[in-house]
């Protein structure tokens, strides 16, 4: 009681938390759990990567990359964090007792007080952010650092600075990286110092009189001086950058660059050093007058020397006589470009192409004809799938591959594909976790077709087929666990004695029950431990990996299964070709992947955009990958990589062993690349010249086949790769038609004595003209002593040789060919025409064009293209036939031996007389059908059958003209006595 008043007893304190509020400890708990989950996710990714590399016995690659990234992260991150935090601490400790001017708002003072109270936390957060920011940026530059650290001399000095090429390829990029980090560290430190001084009143731009305290002025002067000093280093480094910079004409130092830009960079570097000295002097003098004057002088000098002087020199002195002034610099660019792209040994052959060939010339070139590939790998994918798929869950790629195989006594160009499993094609009732990941785990077998043959119905002649596979390619392990269309991940293997669950073939050899298999390969990561199961359940977000009884102590998990992906991870320093191809080597199915070493810093070499130079109609279609968007001016096919389709093992073989970049990376990743001598003869027989590198080189040779600087400057002999005449621009798109792809062919160039497997392309003028100006071929046979030899057949300017677009136009407008294709082009036959690759090759002293024409049903399930006709063009003459021989006989008026049929096989097409009989029989059948339709009053069907009568008669007439015998006059009863189509004389250009 107090003052006569009893004190009321105090009620127990109650929490002020409302029922909807959570305890204070809940938020930190949630935050901690989130951090732990993030850390566990990062750990899962890193550790499973380590397990993957160890399964390939490439743990050193993982360790080198991870160690280098961690090193750069720590060193650069700590430098950045230390510099920024140090400047904040200096600014805080040298803050004035009284602000130079009142803060613009009361909030600033509160921020200052809050930071002062929570200083350690604020500094820790800032340091962490800087560490993560700087370290993350630095770790991404691990390739540049490793290349610099393990650099290998080229043994060739550049022609301006006298430095080894390795300085530009390895040293210069790393110096640029260091310069960038230097700028970032100093700029962030300056910003942090300005903010800190501003918060505590040491820097007030609005103050009257002194706007910065003495301590702030000293700190700002030092940081600005460092910034300008870095600019001086940048000017000095820019001198070397001119050797790889692009000018209006070419890559490299030009006349203006040599006589204006280069001296200006040197002068500006000196001015920048002086200006930096003035900033450092400001630490003592503490006046901004001299640094300000120095900065103004630097800026004006940059404008006058760096911009106006080069522009004036270019306009007043170079432009009036540019060919003379730039001649020596153009020569440097030509020489460096041809060297950097491996084109210095290109042979340019003046080819007096004829437009008419004699029988003697054809006989001399008869050995080339069997190498003319009629089966188009970009067309017959659906044919392979429909005829060799076996079950709906098997798949073939859209674009197949071309290789060589010895079949009998002959080496034949072969179209080949792997039968892979595609679980997305399984019926919905069969889709479940066990089927997707433990049953349908692999494809089975290879399917191959002879490139220059077809059956009488237009389908390919198989050299390997069916399931289980049979054919001429020998015995091999048929199971495809690693391929371009493999499932995301599969769990394979099992304990000894356990029941097999992995589907091998849907039926046994004699039509019995499905055959099952248990994986016994060395590839894959073991799932034997609970820890690994947990890691992979987390990685793939799939608890079944942890819970399923099918995952046992002997199970393995297969993932990252595509050949390109595996090679890219095994050799992350390589740029890979977009089209791996399968081959049967020593009883195994393997994927062959070409690997390139590239650089964008080869002095004076012309830069190209890698993605643009390699883009054509096949790029990005199906499993053909596009190249990254980057500029390069050096490329070598330095590595041939082989991925085993059964166990997933990756073997890297040094191919261009003289390449300094390859030597550099072999030092960075020792014992990962095998010597070229380890390549077996069986593997060597399937290695070929890579497509994407060829595309880059043909793009350059369109201009750099010229070695004279004056002609090069005038662009009077500039070529281009023609657009693909078999396709048009995308519907509704303004983009041009993509380039015609290169083709693998077996041919003989004029200076060769035997037929060689080659990669070919053609050129047309770089103008609105489509006549042929050049034919390009490179020896693609890896075992050949001339492998990689480029040959250009340069056509005379006074002879009009039609280009691919013009020949395609002739094919489609020639009356005889048009009539033969009419049922397919107009859809009256229920089928549509599809034009295959338009091949070009030297033959008979001229250039021969060959194009297969396929037909496929326009509706219904199971439609696939079959080879219907072969179109041939030579000079101004075009013709068609149901076989290559028939078409050639018409064009050349000769009995040409094409070697289409190997001895002992039934001819795929009938002789000409038999063709006449067949055609007339077809006409008879169509005429009877037309009469039936007329009686029924079906005028549409009547007209359709009349069209078929006309086509059949035309074919009979054409076949009759191909032989010396008299064309049969028999015609279907009821037809008019006057021929529907006039016959053409044997010498007709259309045959």
């Amino acid at each position: 009681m107090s003052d006569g008043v009893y004190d009321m007893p105090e009620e127990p304190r109650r929490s002020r938390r409302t029922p909807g509020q959570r305890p204070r400890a809940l938020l930190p708990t949630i935050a901690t759990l989130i951090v732990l989950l993030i850390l566990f996710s990062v750990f899962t990714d890193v550790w499973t990567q380590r397990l993957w590399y160890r399964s390939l016995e490439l743990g050193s690659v993982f360790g080198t990359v991870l160690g280098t990234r961690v090193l750069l992260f720590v060193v650069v991150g700590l430098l950045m964090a230390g510099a920024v935090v140090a400047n904040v601490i200096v600014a805080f400790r040298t803050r004035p007792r009284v602000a130079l001017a009142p803060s613009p708002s009361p909030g600033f003072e509160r921020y200052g007080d809050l930071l002062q109270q929570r200083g350690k936390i604020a500094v820790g957060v800032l340091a962490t952010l800087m560490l993560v920011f700087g370290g993350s940026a630095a770790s991404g530059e691990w390739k540049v650092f490793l290349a610099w650290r393990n650099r290998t001399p080229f043994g060739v000095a550049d022609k301006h600075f006298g430095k080894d090429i390795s300085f530009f390829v390895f040293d210069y990029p790393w110096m640029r990286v260091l310069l960038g980090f230097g700028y970032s560290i100093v700029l962030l430190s300056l910003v942090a110092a300005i903010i800190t001084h501003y918060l505590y009143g040491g820097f007030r731009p609005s103050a009257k009189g002194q706007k910065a305290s003495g301590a702030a002025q000293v700190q700002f002067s030092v940081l600005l001086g460092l910034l300008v000093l870095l600019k001086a280093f940048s000017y000095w480094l820019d001198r070397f950058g001119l050797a790889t910079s692009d000018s209006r004409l070419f890559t490299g130092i030009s006349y203006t660059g040599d006589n204006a830009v280069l001296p200006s960079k040197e002068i500006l570097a000196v001015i920048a050093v002086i200006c930096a000295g003035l900033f450092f002097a400001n630490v003592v003098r503490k006046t901004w007058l001299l640094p300000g004057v120095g900065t103004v002088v630097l800026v004006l000098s940059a404008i006058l020397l760096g911009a106006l002087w080069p522009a004036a020199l270019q306009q007043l002195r170079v432009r009036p006589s540019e060919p003379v002034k730039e001649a020596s610099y153009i020569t440097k660019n030509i020489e460096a470009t041809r060297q950097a792209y491996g084109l210095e040994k290109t042979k340019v052959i003046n080819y007096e192409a004829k437009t008419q060939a004699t029988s003697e010339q054809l006989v001399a070139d008869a050995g080339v004809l069997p190498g003319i590939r009629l089966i188009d790998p970009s067309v017959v994918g659906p044919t392979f799938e429909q005829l060799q798929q076996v079950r709906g869950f098997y798949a073939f790629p859209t674009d197949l591959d071309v290789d060589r195989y010895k079949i009998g006594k002959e080496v034949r160009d072969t179209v080949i594909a792997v039968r892979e499993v595609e679980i997305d094609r399984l019926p919905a009732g069969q889709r479940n976790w066990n089927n997707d990941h433990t049953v349908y785990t692999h494809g089975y077998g290879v399917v191959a077709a002879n490139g220059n043959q077809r059956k009488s119905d237009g389908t390919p002649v198989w050299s390997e087929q069916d399931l289980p596979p049979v054919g001429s390619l020998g015995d091999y392990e048929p199971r495809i666990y690693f391929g371009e269309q493999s499932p995301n991940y599969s769990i394979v293997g099992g304990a000894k004695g356990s029941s097999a669950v992995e589907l091998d073939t849907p039926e046994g050899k004699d039509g019995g029950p499905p055959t099952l298999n248990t994986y016994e390969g060395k590839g894959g990561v073991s799932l034997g431990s609970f820890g690994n199961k947990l890691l992979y359940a987390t990685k793939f977000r799939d608890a079944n990996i942890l819970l399923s009884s099918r995952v046992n102590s002997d199970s393995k998990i297969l993932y990252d299964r595509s050949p390109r992906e595996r090679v890219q991870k095994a050799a992350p320093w390589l740029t890979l070709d977009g089209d791996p191809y399968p081959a049967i080597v020593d009883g195994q199915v393997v994927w062959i992947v070409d690997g390139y070493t590239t650089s964008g810093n080869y002095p004076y070499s012309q830069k190209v955009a890698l993605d643009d130079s390699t883009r054509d109609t096949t790029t990005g279609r199906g499993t053909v990958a596009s190249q990254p968007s980057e500029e390069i001016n050096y490329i070598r096919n330095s590595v041939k990589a082989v991925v085993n389709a059964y166990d997933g093992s990756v073997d890297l073989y040094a191919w261009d062993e003289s390449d300094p970049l390859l030597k550099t990376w072999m030092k960075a990743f020792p014992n990962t690349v095998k010597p070229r001598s380890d390549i077996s003869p069986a593997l060597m027989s399937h290695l070929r010249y890579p497509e994407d590198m060829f595309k880059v080189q043909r793009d350059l040779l369109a201009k750099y086949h010229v070695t004279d600087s004056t002609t090069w400057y005038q662009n009077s002999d500039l070529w281009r790769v023609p657009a693909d005449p078999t396709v048009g621009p995308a519907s509704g798109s303004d983009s041009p038609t993509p380039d015609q792809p290169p083709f693998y062919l077996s041919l003989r160039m004029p200076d060769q004595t035997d037929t060689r497997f080659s990669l070919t392309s053609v050129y047309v003028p770089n103008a609105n003209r489509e006549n042929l100006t050049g034919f390009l071929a490179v020896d693609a046979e890896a075992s050949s002593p001339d492998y990689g030899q480029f040959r250009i057949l340069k056509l005379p300017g006074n002879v009009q040789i039609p280009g691919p677009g013009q020949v395609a136009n002739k094919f489609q407008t020639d009356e005889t060919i048009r009539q033969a294709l009419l049922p397919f082009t107009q859809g009256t036959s229920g089928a549509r025409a599809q034009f295959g690759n338009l091949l070009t090759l030297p033959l008979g002293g001229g250039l021969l064009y060959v194009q297969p024409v396929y037909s496929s049903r326009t509706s219904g399930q199971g439609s696939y293209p079959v080879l219907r006709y072969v179109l041939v063009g030579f000079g101004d003459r075009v013709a068609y036939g149901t076989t290559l021989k028939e078409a050639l006989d018409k064009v050349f008026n000769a009995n040409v031996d094409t070697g289409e049929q190997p001895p002992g096989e039934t001819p795929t097409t009938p002789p000409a007389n038999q063709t006449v009989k067949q055609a007339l029989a077809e006409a008879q059948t169509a005429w009877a059908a037309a009469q039936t339709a007329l009686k029924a009053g079906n005028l549409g069907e009547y007209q359709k059958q009349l069209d078929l009568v006309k086509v059949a008669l035309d074919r009979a007439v054409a076949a009759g003209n191909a032989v010396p015998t008299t064309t049969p006059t028999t015609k279907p009863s009821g037809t008019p006595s006057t021929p529907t189509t006039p016959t053409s004389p044997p010498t007709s250009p259309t045959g």
Side-chain angles (χ1 to χ4, degrees), residues 275-289:
C275 185
L278 294 176
F279 276 102
F280 293 139
N282 197 41
V283 173
V284 179
R285 295 180 58 86
K286 295 183 179 178
T287 173
W288 291 103
L289 178 61

Side-chain angles (χ1 to χ4, degrees), residues 517-532:
N517 175 63
T518 298
Y519 180 72
E520 296 179 353
K522 63 180 181 179
V525 178
S526 173
L527 288 177
S529 67
F530 175 81
N532 282 5

